[in-house]
Amino acid sequence: MTPESLIASASINIGLALVALWLFSVLKKQPRNAVVYYARRLSDRHHHHRPLSLHSSLCLPRFLPSVAWIPRAFRVPEDDILSRHGLDALVLIRLFKFGIRFFLLCSLLGASLLLPVDYYNESDLPTRREYSMDAFTISNITRGSNKLWVHFSCLWLISFYALFLLHKEYKEILVIRLQQMGELRHRADQFTVLVRQVPLCPEHNTRGCAVDHFFSKHHRFSYHSYQMLYDGKDLEYLLGKQKKLKKELEDKRHTDLLSNGSQEHKQISTSEEKLREITNMICHLQSETMLSEKELPVAFVTFKSRRSAALAAQTQQHSNPLELITEMAPEPRDVSWRNLAIPQKLLPLNKIGVILAAALLTIFFAIPVTAVQGIAKYEKLKKWFPPAMAIEFIPGLSSVVTGYLPSAILKGFMYIIPFAMLGMAYLGGSISKSNEEIKACNMVFYFLMGNIFFLSLISGSLLDEIGEYLTHPRDIPSHLAAAVSAQAEFFMTYILTDGLSGFSLEILQLGLVLFDIMRSCTYGRGKERTPYLFSFPYFRVIPTVSLSIMIGMIYAVVAPLMLPFLVGYFCLGYIVYFNQMEDVYETTYDTCGRFWPFIHHYIFVSIILMQITMVGLFGLKSKPSAAIATIPLILITIAYNEYCKIRFLPSFKHFPIQTAVEIDEEDEKNGEMGTHYGDAATAYNRHQPCLERVISSAEAPTNLSQPLLGTESI
C-alpha cells in the first residue's frame, strides 16, 4: 500500500465522519427524531425530567450543527455514570479511558524516540523509497543494528505501563463492585440461589415438594421459600393472543367512536367474548393444580440472608453432584427463561453445536478476508486479474480502491458477526442474558483475532511468498513477524475506518431514522410513535474495541505512526458511546462489572502477542540477544496474569462471604432484612413469562385478575 492510498483512506474516513457528525447534530434537534436519538430519556423507566434539546419552531438554530454534546461527555463524573447506568456501563467507559491513557503515552514515546530512530537510519531494504511507509517502521532498521535496543527498551517500558494500568483498573473496579453490591442490597438475586436438576419427591411426585423438603431439612434456619420454573409454552401463547386481542379491541372501539355503526358494535361484542374466554383459560392454567403438572427441574430458592445464599451457591448440596446443582441466581430481569427450560443433559450437545457453527462461520469468513487482501495487494492483483488495470486510467481511483475499499468491505462483513455469535451464545443454553453477551464477547473477540488479524497477516503474506510457507513450515513464526511489519498500512486504514466511519455511523443511526420515516408513511401512519429502545450492545462494542487495542499494542513498537490515530479512535469512541448510554440505549441488567475480567484477558493476550511478535522481529533483524532478553518479559507478564486470577478473579465469580455478612449487618441495623428477602421470595414469579398477571378488562371477572401462586403454596 502506497502513502497515497493511506492518505486517500484517511481523507474519505475523515470526510464521512464530519458529514455524519454534522447530520447527527442537526437531526438530533428535530422533534420527529426524538424517538431515535432520545429513546432512553423518553422511556418511562429512565425519565430524568431533563429538557430535550429540541426546537419545535422553524428557527435558524434548529438547522445549524452543534458540538454542545461533545464536552458533555468529559464533564460527567464516573459516579453519575455508575448511578444512572450501572457498573457494566462504567467498565466500558473505563475501557475507552484505558485506551486513551495507554496510547497517549505510547504516542509520546513513539514520536520522541521510535520514529526518529526508524527514519534516520541506514536502511537494509534493497531500495529505500523516501516516501514509503516502511521508512517509519522497524523494517527500516539495519540488521544487527544497536538501535534495536531502543525498541527493546520501549517494549519493556510499554509492557510494564500496560500491566500497571491493568492492575490499577482491576483493583479499582473490584472496589467499586463490592461497594455497588452494598448499594444494590434490594436486589432479589443476592438472596436467591438457582437450583437445577431437582429430583421428584417420592411421596408427592412433585419437584417443588422435593425442593422444600431438602432445604427445610439441611438449611432449616436460613431457608425461606422457593419458586419453581414451569413449562408454560401454552400459557405464553395464550398471553400473547390476549394482548393481540386487546389491541384489536382498542382499535375497534376507537373506530366505533368515529363511525357509531351497528356492525362495529357487533364486532366489539364478539371480540369481548373471545377475550373473556382466553382470560378464563389463562387463569385456569395458572391455577395451583394445573401448574404443579408443568413443573420443570429448576427452582429459585430464597434464603433469609445473603450469607446463607452465598454459602449454598458455593457448596455441593447433594451426595450425587448431578442433582440439586446450585449457583447464585441472576437478577430476575436478566434471566433467560427459555434456556432454563432446556434439560441439563442436552446442554453439552448444544455447546458442541455452537462450537461447530462458530468454526464453520470462521472458515467461510476466510473467503472475504482473503478477497480483501487481494484488493489491498493491487500489484499482485494486476498480474492475476489483468482487467483490474483499468482503474489506473482514472486518476486517484487506485489509491481509493487499495486504501479505503478493503477496510470498508471488511468492516461491512464484520457487522453481522456479533449478532451471529449472540445467536449462537443463546443456543448454547446460558441461564441469563448477561452470560449470553459475555459468551458472545468471547466468541466475537477470538473470531476477530483469528480472521481479521491473523488471517489478514497470513493472506497478505501468502500473496507475496506462498511457496515459502509450504516448503519451510518451521519458518512460519518468522514469516508472521515479518508480515506484521508488512501489513502496518492495512491495519492503519482499518483503525481509521472502524473509528471515524464506524463510530460516526453508530451515533448517526441513519438506518433507524430512515426506517422510522418509512414506517410513519406506510403501515404506521396515524399510530402513536414509541421510542426505539434497545439494550446496550456490549457484545458488539467490547470485542471490536479490544481488537483495536490488540492491533495498537502489536504495532506500538513496530509502526509508531499508527499510535496517534488510536488516541483519536478512543477519544471519539468515548464521546460516541457516552452519548448512546445517556440518550439512546437501555440498561437491561447490571452484572456489577463481570465484563472486566474478560476485558482484562483480552488485553493480556494482546500484550503477549506484542512481546512474541517482537521476539520474532528481533530474530529477523539478527539481534538474538534482544530476542532472548525479551523472553523474561513474557514470563513476567504470564506470572502477573496468574496473580490477577488468584487475587481478583474469584471476587468476580462469587459473592464474597465477608461482603455478604457486612451487607446483612447493615440491613439488620436498618430493619430492612425481612423486607428485602420477602420481596426476593416473589420476584422471580413476577418475571416468569407464563405467570404474567392477567390485566383484567371491563369484561373479565375481577376475581380472576391475580392468578399467581404464593411462594410456598405447592
Side-chain angles (χ1 to χ4, degrees):
M1 185 182 295
T2 63
E4 291 79 9
S5 300
L6 182 60
I7 292 171
S9 176
S11 302
I12 293 172
N13 282 297
I14 291 172
L16 283 175
L18 291 176
V19 170
L21 295 175
W22 179 83
L23 281 173
F24 164 74
S25 63
V26 174
L27 292 174
K28 190 175 183 179
K29 298 177 183 178
Q30 313 310 311
R32 71 156 287 109
N33 295 328
V35 292
V36 175
Y37 295 118
Y38 293 101
R40 184 180 187 275
R41 288 168 63 178
L42 286 175
S43 65
D44 293 334
R45 284 169 288 179
H46 302 291
H47 188 59
H48 297 302
H49 305 286
R50 289 184 295 157
L52 303 181
S53 303
L54 303 174
H55 296 267
S56 56
S57 59
L58 291 174
C59 55
L60 184 60
R62 177 175 170 178
F63 302 98
L64 292 177
S66 171
V67 295
W69 56 278
I70 295 178
R72 179 185 65 162
F74 297 99
R75 288 198 303 262
V76 176
E78 289 188 351
D79 289 342
D80 288 354
I81 297 173
L82 181 64
S83 61
R84 291 206 291 262
H85 310 291
L87 184 52
D88 292 335
L90 181 59
V91 163
L92 181 64
I93 290 296
R94 294 190 74 139
L95 175 61
F96 281 106
K97 288 185 175 180
F98 174 91
I100 294 171
R101 291 167 183 160
F102 178 76
F103 289 110
L104 189 59
L105 177 71
C106 292
S107 297
L108 296 175
L109 201 62
S112 60
L113 284 177
L114 294 176
L115 278 177
V117 170
D118 289 341
Y119 189 77
Y120 297 106
N121 188 71
E122 184 69 28
S123 175
D124 62 347
L125 298 176
T127 55
R128 169 174 168 171
R129 291 175 295 171
E130 205 63 31
Y131 298 100
S132 170
M133 295 304 299
D134 289 334
F136 300 96
T137 68
I138 198 172
S139 300
N140 199 42
I141 301 293
T142 309
R143 291 177 180 271
S145 173
N146 285 327
K147 290 186 177 181
L148 287 168
W149 289 110
V150 176
H151 298 78
F152 173 82
S153 302
C154 290
L155 173 65
W156 276 75
L157 179 60
I158 288 172
S159 297
F160 277 112
Y161 182 59
L163 296 180
F164 164 75
L165 288 179
L166 275 180
H167 184 272
K168 179 175 178 291
E169 292 294 323
Y170 220 149
K171 185 178 180 179
E172 291 179 1
I173 290 173
L174 176 57
V175 171
I176 298 172
R177 170 181 166 82
L178 298 179
Q179 292 174 349
Q180 189 75 348
M181 286 179 170
E183 294 294 328
L184 301 175
R185 56 169 55 92
H186 61 279
R187 281 192 5 180
D189 56 308
Q190 294 189 358
F191 293 92
T192 309
V193 172
L194 174 65
V195 184
R196 308 186 77 173
Q197 292 298 96
V198 178
L200 282 169
C201 175
E203 297 179 11
H204 305 92
N205 202 34
T206 61
R207 300 184 189 276
C209 185
V211 172
D212 189 55
H213 287 174
F214 180 87
F215 285 94
S216 296
K217 179 180 179 180
H218 298 93
H219 299 267
R220 81 177 53 172
F221 299 111
S222 58
Y223 166 69
H224 179 260
S225 61
Y226 69 93
Q227 302 161 75
M228 294 302 298
L229 186 71
Y230 303 100
D231 181 9
K233 292 179 182 178
D234 49 353
L235 266 170
E236 291 178 36
Y237 169 76
L238 289 174
L239 286 166
K241 194 173 181 181
Q242 184 205 39
K243 290 178 182 177
K244 185 179 179 181
L245 273 174
K246 282 185 177 181
K247 190 174 181 181
E248 291 177 358
L249 187 58
E250 289 176 3
D251 292 340
K252 289 176 181 177
R253 285 172 175 167
H254 179 69
T255 306
D256 181 48
L257 289 174
L258 297 176
S259 61
N260 198 24
S262 58
Q263 184 67 24
E264 283 75 12
H265 279 298
K266 187 176 180 181
Q267 291 179 354
I268 289 173
S269 299
T270 304
S271 297
E272 288 174 348
E273 182 63 30
K274 287 182 180 178
L275 183 62
R276 188 180 296 110
E277 291 177 4
I278 291 176
T279 302
N280 290 335
M281 289 176 63
I282 292 172
C283 293
H284 173 66
L285 291 174
Q286 287 182 340
S287 64
E288 176 182 336
T289 306
M290 296 300 295
L291 284 176
S292 63
E293 299 175 1
K294 296 180 177 293
E295 288 180 346
L296 293 172
V298 181
F300 295 95
V301 177
T302 305
F303 290 85
K304 296 178 182 178
S305 67
R306 297 172 184 84
R307 173 185 175 276
S308 301
L311 287 172
Q314 297 173 34
T315 53
Q316 180 179 324
Q317 299 300 314
H318 201 276
S319 57
N320 181 358
L322 298 179
E323 290 189 4
L324 295 173
I325 303 169
T326 58
E327 60 182 298
M328 289 301 295
E331 58 176 322
R333 59 178 179 168
D334 189 24
V335 175
S336 182
W337 298 101
R338 290 186 182 274
N339 282 345
L340 278 181
I342 299 174
Q344 188 85 2
K345 59 185 178 182
L346 295 181
L347 289 180
L349 296 177
N350 286 29
K351 292 177 181 178
I352 292 172
V354 168
I355 293 171
L356 292 176
L360 288 174
L361 182 62
T362 303
I363 292 170
F364 283 118
F365 199 80
I367 298 172
V369 172
T370 305
V372 162
Q373 287 301 322
I375 298 173
K377 293 284 181 179
Y378 178 61
E379 295 300 323
K380 296 293 180 183
L381 185 64
K382 286 193 297 184
K383 295 179 182 179
W384 294 351
F385 188 65
M389 297 175 64
I391 66 173
E392 292 183 341
F393 295 104
I394 303 176
L397 184 59
S398 62
S399 297
V400 173
V401 169
T402 58
Y404 174 73
L405 197 59
S407 56
I409 294 173
L410 197 59
K411 184 63 180 175
F413 278 108
M414 275 176 52
Y415 186 78
I416 64 172
I417 297 302
F419 298 98
M421 293 299 185
L422 182 64
M424 293 181 194
Y426 173 77
L427 295 175
S430 299
I431 65 169
S432 64
K433 300 168 190 174
S434 58
N435 279 352
E436 290 171 11
E437 291 211 39
I438 288 173
K439 288 184 179 179
C441 279
N442 281 331
M443 290 193 290
V444 173
F445 175 76
Y446 286 111
F447 178 92
L448 296 179
M449 185 177 73
N451 276 277
I452 304 301
F453 185 73
F454 283 112
L455 193 57
S456 293
L457 291 179
I458 295 172
S459 59
S461 301
L462 283 173
L463 293 170
D464 291 330
E465 43 186 20
I466 188 170
E468 290 293 325
Y469 276 73
L470 298 175
T471 56
H472 301 90
R474 293 183 180 180
D475 295 336
I476 287 178
S478 61
H479 280 291
L480 286 176
V484 166
S485 180
Q487 292 290 91
E489 296 92 341
F490 170 77
F491 285 112
M492 203 175 297
T493 60
Y494 170 81
I495 293 295
L496 285 169
T497 303
D498 188 40
L500 292 174
S501 299
F503 288 153
S504 56
L505 290 175
E506 161 66 32
I507 200 171
L508 180 59
Q509 299 283 310
L510 185 60
L512 207 53
V513 172
L514 295 176
F515 172 78
D516 181 62
I517 293 172
M518 290 188 292
R519 178 175 176 270
S520 301
C521 297
T522 53
Y523 68 92
R525 184 191 296 270
K527 296 182 180 179
E528 183 182 359
R529 297 169 67 236
T530 56
Y532 293 93
L533 192 62
F534 300 100
S535 174
F536 194 91
Y538 293 106
F539 68 98
R540 180 165 57 87
V541 182
I542 289 176
T544 53
V545 175
S546 300
L547 178 70
S548 297
I549 289 179
M550 187 186 75
I551 292 172
M553 283 188 168
I554 291 173
Y555 281 97
V557 181
V558 176
L561 197 63
M562 187 188 293
L563 298 173
F565 294 105
L566 283 158
V567 175
Y569 173 95
F570 285 100
C571 287
L572 181 59
Y574 175 86
I575 295 168
V576 166
Y577 281 105
F578 174 82
N579 178 84
Q580 302 301 81
M581 284 178 185
E582 284 286 296
D583 299 335
V584 179
Y585 291 122
E586 177 188 29
T587 303
T588 55
Y589 58 80
D590 185 9
T591 67
C592 287
R594 284 203 303 120
F595 282 96
W596 179 255
F598 298 92
I599 294 173
H600 172 92
H601 179 71
Y602 304 153
I603 299 175
F604 161 73
V605 170
S606 303
I607 298 172
I608 290 293
L609 286 175
M610 171 182 67
Q611 295 165 354
I612 292 174
T613 301
M614 290 307 299
V615 170
L617 283 171
F618 288 141
L620 287 175
K621 288 294 179 180
S622 302
K623 204 69 175 175
S625 55
I628 294 172
T630 305
I631 294 175
L633 180 61
I634 298 175
L635 298 177
I636 290 171
T637 306
I638 294 172
Y640 160 78
N641 186 60
E642 292 303 313
Y643 163 77
C644 288
K645 286 181 181 179
I646 298 170
R647 170 62 180 85
F648 300 116
L649 187 58
S651 297
F652 282 86
K653 285 186 173 181
H654 306 294
F655 196 164
I657 302 299
Q658 180 185 7
T659 304
V661 170
E662 290 174 355
I663 302 173
D664 285 341
E665 290 174 350
E666 188 69 23
D667 265 5
E668 289 173 354
K669 183 191 294 185
N670 298 331
E672 298 175 341
M673 180 72 85
T675 303
H676 287 159
Y677 71 69
D679 291 341
T682 58
Y684 292 89
N685 274 352
R686 290 198 303 268
H687 285 80
Q688 194 169 165
C690 67
L691 297 183
E692 181 180 343
R693 290 180 180 274
V694 179
I695 303 175
S696 61
S697 62
E699 296 79 15
T702 55
N703 63 333
L704 298 176
S705 62
Q706 296 189 11
L708 296 182
L709 295 174
T711 60
E712 299 180 21
S713 57
I714 296 179

